[in-house]
């Protein structure tokens, strides 16, 4: 293999490949938290204390903080060139709450004149959703729309995946739509997406799945499997099982570009074929959060539609 | 940064140290991208990097009154970020392998610059390094700091920084070379 770079140059080039810009919600989260932080407290102890605060307390603190820092946010919005406070409305965003029913003063995202689907809001990664608004991810194919819920954020999307979740921890509630490019067998072998994805899922020895039930997603017939990770299943370095990859770098059991479950997840998978393309919908939360999050996940699913894009 | 800019930043640091939240927010605005880039490269995970920077920034707000050399705000903040990364790296990581998105702003390097195989091997080998070694690698190879400055930023002896870099580089290089040998053997078998 010919290497045009020496090792140090290779390492530097690889390190250069990461993001250079912080997510917009990070800046907002810091701003929101500043007023509720006293000074000269031991960082570790205070950090831990905040992490274990009951959700309602964090939520109340977040709302109070959001109001308090509004002036601060306004005054420095010009510092970073583009508005940090979001789209059409310069309203500060509270720190995302772990609660799936978090009330939100999130910025509204203006309908984009270039939205693929007329009458919907085309959203980019990092956009905080508002209840009742209908959204379209920028590039996912086939294009879909869905109805937002307060406190949820579109964390990442591309042409073959879109994921949104609530709070800062993926296990508090994740809704993900993926057009799988490959699957990962038990044991780690990578394989093409099987024709009968439901049967393939049912055959996995590392998942405990219900029998499939028929569902409709955006008018297309699909099958839903309810499940958990089997106790003692072989997990990867992240204590998770990856089962499918979307387009991206090499697909491996440790791949960072796929769909999988942590050992303590409860999930529902929906396999649906939309105009000849197989989609995998993943609704996941950890077992403890599942009952509270499930209605919200199902509401996302219910609100799906797959209209044909303008000109398409 | 020009002298006027440096002086302005210094004034912001002074004001923030004295409790001016607007000034601190301005400091955050001016440094958060650098901090996130640093944290991401150490942790290789956007969510952990997000949390680490948030912890570091809030720690900066709390501890700023203790900063003695106001001209060292940036290195001081970098150390807070690195320390926060250590904490995040050691947190329970049960979900970290579950889902990460392709960053939309990945530069489009030619394939010949970093082969997929190299990238994958580097990623895996780097993740196996302890966070203390990762931090030295990132500060040196990404930030471009000389080892003495790396040591100062991290608050460790220069010899420690040197040995961490040496050990990390040795492991990363071994991973790449092992991959190259495997590829060479495979090519030989298929030829």
């Amino acid at each position: 293999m010919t290497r045009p770079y020496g090792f140090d140059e290779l390492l530097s080039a690889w390190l250069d490949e990461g993001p250079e810009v912080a997510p917009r919600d990070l800046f907002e989260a810091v701003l929101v938290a500043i007023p509720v932080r006293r000074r000269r407290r031991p960082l570790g102890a205070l950090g831990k204390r905040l992490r274990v605060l009951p959700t309602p307390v964090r939520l109340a603190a977040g709302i109070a903080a959001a109001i308090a820092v509004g002036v601060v946010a306004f005054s420095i919005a010009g510092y970073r060139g583009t508005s940090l406070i979001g789209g059409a409305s310069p309203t500060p965003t509270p720190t995302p709450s772990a609660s799936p029913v978090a009330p939100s003063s999130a910025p509204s995202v203006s309908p984009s004149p270039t939205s693929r689907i007329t009458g919907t809001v085309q959203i980019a990664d990092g956009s905080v959703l508002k209840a009742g608004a209908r959204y379209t991810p920028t590039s996912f194919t086939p294009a879909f729309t869905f109805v937002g819920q307060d406190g949820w954020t579109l964390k990442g999307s591309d042409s073959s995946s879109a994921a949104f979740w609530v709070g800062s921890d993926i296990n508090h509630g994740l809704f993900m739509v993926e057009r799988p490019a490959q699957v990962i067998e038990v044991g780690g072998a990578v394989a093409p997406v099987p024709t009968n994805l439901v049967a393939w899922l049912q055959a996995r020895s590392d998942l405990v799945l219900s029998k499939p039930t028929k569902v409709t997603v955006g008018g297309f017939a699909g099958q839903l499997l309810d499940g958990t990770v089997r106790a003692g299943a072989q997990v990867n370095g992240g204590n998770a099982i990856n089962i499918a990859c979307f387009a991206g770098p090499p697909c491996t059991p440790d791949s960072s570009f796929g769909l999988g479950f942590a050992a303590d997840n409860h999930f529902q998978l929906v396999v649906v074929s939309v105009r000849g393309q197989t989609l995998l919908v993943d609704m996941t939360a950890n077992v403890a959060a599942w009952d509270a999050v499930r209605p919200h996940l199902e509401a996302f699913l219910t609100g799906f539609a797959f209209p044909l894009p303008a000109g398409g | 940064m020009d002298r006027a800019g440096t002086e302005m930043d210094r004034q912001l640091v002074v004001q923030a140290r004295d409790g001016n939240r607007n000034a601190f927010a301005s400091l955050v605005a001016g440094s958060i991208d650098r901090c996130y880039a640093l944290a991401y490269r150490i942790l290789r995970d956007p969510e952990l990097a997000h949390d680490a920077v948030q912890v570091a920034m809030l720690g900066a707000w709390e501890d700023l009154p203790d900063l003695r050399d106001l001209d060292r705000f940036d290195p001081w903040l970098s150390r807070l970020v690195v320390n926060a990364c250590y904490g995040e790296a050691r947190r329970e990581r049960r979900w970290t392998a579950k889902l990460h998105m392709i960053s939309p702003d990945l530069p489009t390097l030619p394939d010949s610059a970093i082969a997929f195989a190299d990238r994958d091997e580097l990623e895996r080998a780097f993740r196996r390094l302890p966070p203390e070694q990762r931090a030295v690698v990132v500060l040196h190879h990404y930030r471009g700091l000389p080892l003495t400055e790396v040591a100062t930023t991290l608050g460790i002896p220069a010899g420690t920084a040197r040995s961490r870099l040496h050990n990390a580089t040795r492991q990363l290089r071994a991973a790449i070379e092992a991959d190259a040998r495997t590829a060479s053997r495979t090519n030989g078998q298929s030829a």
Side-chain angles (χ1 to χ4, degrees), chain A residues 3 15 17-18 20 39 238, chain B residues 16 41 61 94 106 118 142:
Chain A
R3 295 182 192 284
L15 287 169
E17 285 189 343
E20 300 286 348
R39 279 197 142 156
Chain B
R41 282 159 178 83
W61 167 251
R94 64 177 185 267
L106 289 181
D118 286 349
Y142 172 66

Side-chain angles (χ1 to χ4, degrees), chain A residues 1-5 7-23 25-31 33-43 46 50-51 71-73 75-76 79-80 84 95 125 155-158 161-163 165 167-171 174 176 236-240 242 246-250 252-265 282 284-286, chain B residues 8-9 12 15-22 24-30 32-34 36-37 40-41 44 46-47 49-51 53-66 80 88 91-107 109 112-120 122-124 126-127 137-138 140-142 168-170 172-174 176-177 179-180 183-184 187:
Chain A
M1 183 182 298
T2 302
R3 295 182 192 284
Y5 282 76
F7 178 76
D8 284 354
E9 288 76 16
L10 178 71
L11 183 55
S12 295
W14 176 72
L15 287 169
D16 280 342
E17 285 189 343
E20 300 286 348
V21 178
D25 68 326
L26 173 56
F27 181 70
E28 294 166 3
V30 171
L31 280 191
I34 292 171
V36 296
R37 305 281 289 209
R38 292 181 189 173
R39 279 197 142 156
R40 297 180 181 280
R41 299 288 296 273
L43 173 64
L46 187 52
L50 280 185
R51 284 182 194 284
V71 175
V72 175
S75 68
I76 64 160
Y79 245 79
R80 286 160 56 93
L84 293 156
T95 306
D125 294 356
K155 290 288 185 173
S157 65
D158 57 23
S161 68
W165 64 82
S168 59
D169 188 327
I170 198 169
N171 287 316
L174 163 73
M176 180 177 180
N236 63 19
N239 197 27
N242 282 342
F246 44 85
T252 71
D254 289 304
S255 171
S256 298
F257 303 93
L259 183 152
F261 312 105
D264 63 350
N265 278 169
D282 170 29
T284 303
N286 62 25
Chain B
M8 189 179 75
D9 279 359
L12 287 174
Q15 292 168 5
R17 182 194 61 186
D18 294 342
N20 184 325
R21 292 186 171 93
N22 283 353
F24 183 75
S26 297
L27 289 172
V28 172
I32 198 165
D33 288 344
R34 288 197 305 278
Y36 181 77
Y40 176 87
R41 282 159 178 83
R44 311 301 301 174
E47 290 302 312
H50 186 290
D51 288 354
V53 173
Q54 194 170 347
V55 168
M57 289 297 187
L58 298 181
W61 167 251
E62 292 169 1
D63 295 341
L64 196 52
D66 295 332
L80 291 181
E88 292 300 321
R91 271 175 56 194
E92 186 180 7
R93 301 183 60 194
R94 64 177 185 267
W95 57 273
T96 56
K98 181 171 167 129
L99 169 74
H100 308 279
M101 290 299 159
I102 300 170
S103 175
D105 53 354
L106 289 181
L109 288 178
S112 60
I114 308 179
F116 267 139
D118 286 349
R119 188 179 285 119
D120 200 40
L122 276 173
E123 186 76 44
R124 277 189 282 181
F126 191 83
R127 284 171 182 268
V137 170
V138 172
H140 183 64
H141 283 286
Y142 172 66
T169 305
R170 182 168 48 80
L172 294 172
R173 189 191 298 270
I176 290 291
E177 289 176 352
D179 179 57
S184 174
N187 291 340

Side-chain angles (χ1 to χ4, degrees), chain A residues 165-184:
Chain A
W165 64 82
V166 67
S168 59
D169 188 327
I170 198 169
N171 287 316
H172 290 150
L174 163 73
F175 190 99
M176 180 177 180
V177 186
E178 173 177 309
R179 182 160 43 79
Q182 292 172 300
V183 296
I184 303 172

Side-chain angles (χ1 to χ4, degrees), chain A residues 44-104:
Chain A
L46 187 52
K48 286 173 186 169
R49 195 171 303 136
L50 280 185
R51 284 182 194 284
V52 299
L53 278 177
T55 296
V57 177
R58 275 186 288 163
L59 187 57
I63 293 170
I67 296 169
V69 300
V71 175
V72 175
F74 252 138
S75 68
I76 64 160
Y79 245 79
R80 286 160 56 93
T82 57
S83 172
L84 293 156
I85 311 303
S89 166
T91 309
T93 308
T95 306
S97 162
S99 165
V101 291
S104 171

